[in-house]
């Protein structure tokens, strides 16, 4: 239906949804061209040289930036599994980062570290992501953190925690929203159009789920799925539905898996940083976007 009603919402010309004339019906006057500009990495990279993965950053309302990332300890010979934790860093300009010694959690035999979360009732807190949510859903917390934990049967899965300062996290509000072994950065975005939260994850309820008699144990789980829920503090129902798998162009380059996709919603569009993955070697980042959270376009 035309014209498209946009109200007072900012519009981004990522695709042809709002572009009427790309075909030069009136040459020299109305032709619309799309021009691509490649990003350039800052010469100071890497900003944190080691021990940091699954990074999530938020602007501090009082100035500067805060960063949370996953760090880990490899299991020693004879021990079971590795330990994962969420660590913290801060910066005035987003380029020079400091990792303060917080003394909150023992890690590698000492409390002289920047660890802020080790997981509810377990030794694992991985894949952190700061969630942007309406004030009414925040329970008074300035920062909301989605993360995955494991090792405790009743607690394992995707969880939400709240904090006033991004350092001390309230265990009383730490809630399990989905028992899902999605071992990547599970990204949650608020969709104001549908009035629900959307999580982009792996379909691990069906693929490579050890011990499950109804799982496709030899399936490839590194693809992008989504599920949704009305609340951040109560368990979600349903099952993740796959929405993105590699295509012919990915396969030609050997990127036949997707490691994950970090998503933010802004001005009515889901913006995704998709991670095409070449098994155990390269991960790259591509821009993807969607108007409804289901149908995605990529450059």
């Amino acid at each position: 239906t035309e014209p498209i009603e946009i109200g007072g919402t900012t519009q981004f010309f990522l695709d042809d949804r709002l572009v009427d004339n790309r075909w030069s019906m009136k040459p020299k006057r109305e032709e619309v061209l799309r021009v691509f500009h490649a990003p350039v990495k800052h010469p100071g990279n890497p900003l944190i040289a080691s021990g940091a993965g699954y990074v999530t950053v938020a602007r501090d309302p009082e100035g500067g930036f805060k960063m949370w990332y996953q760090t880990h300890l490899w299991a020693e010979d004879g021990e079971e599994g590795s330990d994962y934790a969420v660590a913290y860093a801060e910066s005035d300009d987003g380029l020079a980062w400091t990792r303060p010694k917080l003394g909150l959690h023992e890690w590698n035999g000492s409390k002289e570290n920047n660890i802020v979360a080790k997981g509810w009732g377990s030794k694992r807190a991985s894949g952190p992501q700061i969630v942007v949510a309406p004030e009414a859903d925040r329970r008074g917390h300035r920062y909301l953190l989605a993360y995955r934990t494991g090792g405790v049967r009743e607690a394992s899965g995707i969880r939400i925690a709240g904090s006033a300062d991004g350092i001390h996290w309230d265990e009383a509000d730490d809630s399990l929203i989905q028992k899902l072994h999605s071992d990547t950065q599970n990204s949650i975005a608020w969709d104001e159009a549908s009035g629900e939260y959307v999580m982009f994850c792996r379909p691990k309820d069906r693929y490579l789920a050890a011990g499950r008699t109804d799982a496709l144990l030899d399936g490839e789980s590194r693809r992008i799925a989504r599920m949704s829920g009305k609340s951040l503090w109560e368990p979600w129902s349903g099952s993740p539905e796959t929405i993105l798998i590699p295509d012919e162009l990915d396969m030609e380059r050997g990127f036949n898996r997707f490691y994950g996709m970090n998503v933010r919603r802004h001005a009515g569009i889901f913006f995704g940083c998709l991670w095409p993955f070449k098994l155990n070697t390269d991960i790259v980042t591509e821009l993807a976007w969607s108007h409804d959270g289901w149908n995605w376009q990529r450059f």
Side-chain angles (χ1 to χ4, degrees), residues 199-215:
M199 177 168 67
F200 299 90
C201 54
R202 290 178 176 175
K204 272 296 188 81
D205 61 329
R206 296 184 294 283
Y207 302 102
L208 302 175
R212 288 273 304 277
T213 58
D214 57 343

Side-chain angles (χ1 to χ4, degrees), residues 38 69 73 76 87 136 205 210 217:
Y69 61 85
L73 293 173
E76 300 290 341
D205 61 329
L217 294 179

Side-chain angles (χ1 to χ4, degrees), residues 25-70:
M25 299 299 289
K26 298 178 181 178
K28 299 183 181 180
R29 289 194 291 133
E30 293 187 1
E31 185 177 53
V32 178
L33 301 178
R34 181 162 55 179
V35 180
F36 300 89
H37 302 276
V40 178
K41 288 186 177 182
H42 190 275
N45 281 308
L47 303 181
I48 294 182
S50 62
Y54 290 138
V55 174
T56 181
V57 176
R59 186 183 295 273
D60 188 334
E62 298 175 1
F65 300 87
K66 295 179 181 290
M67 175 194 293
W68 300 262
Y69 61 85
Q70 173 185 305

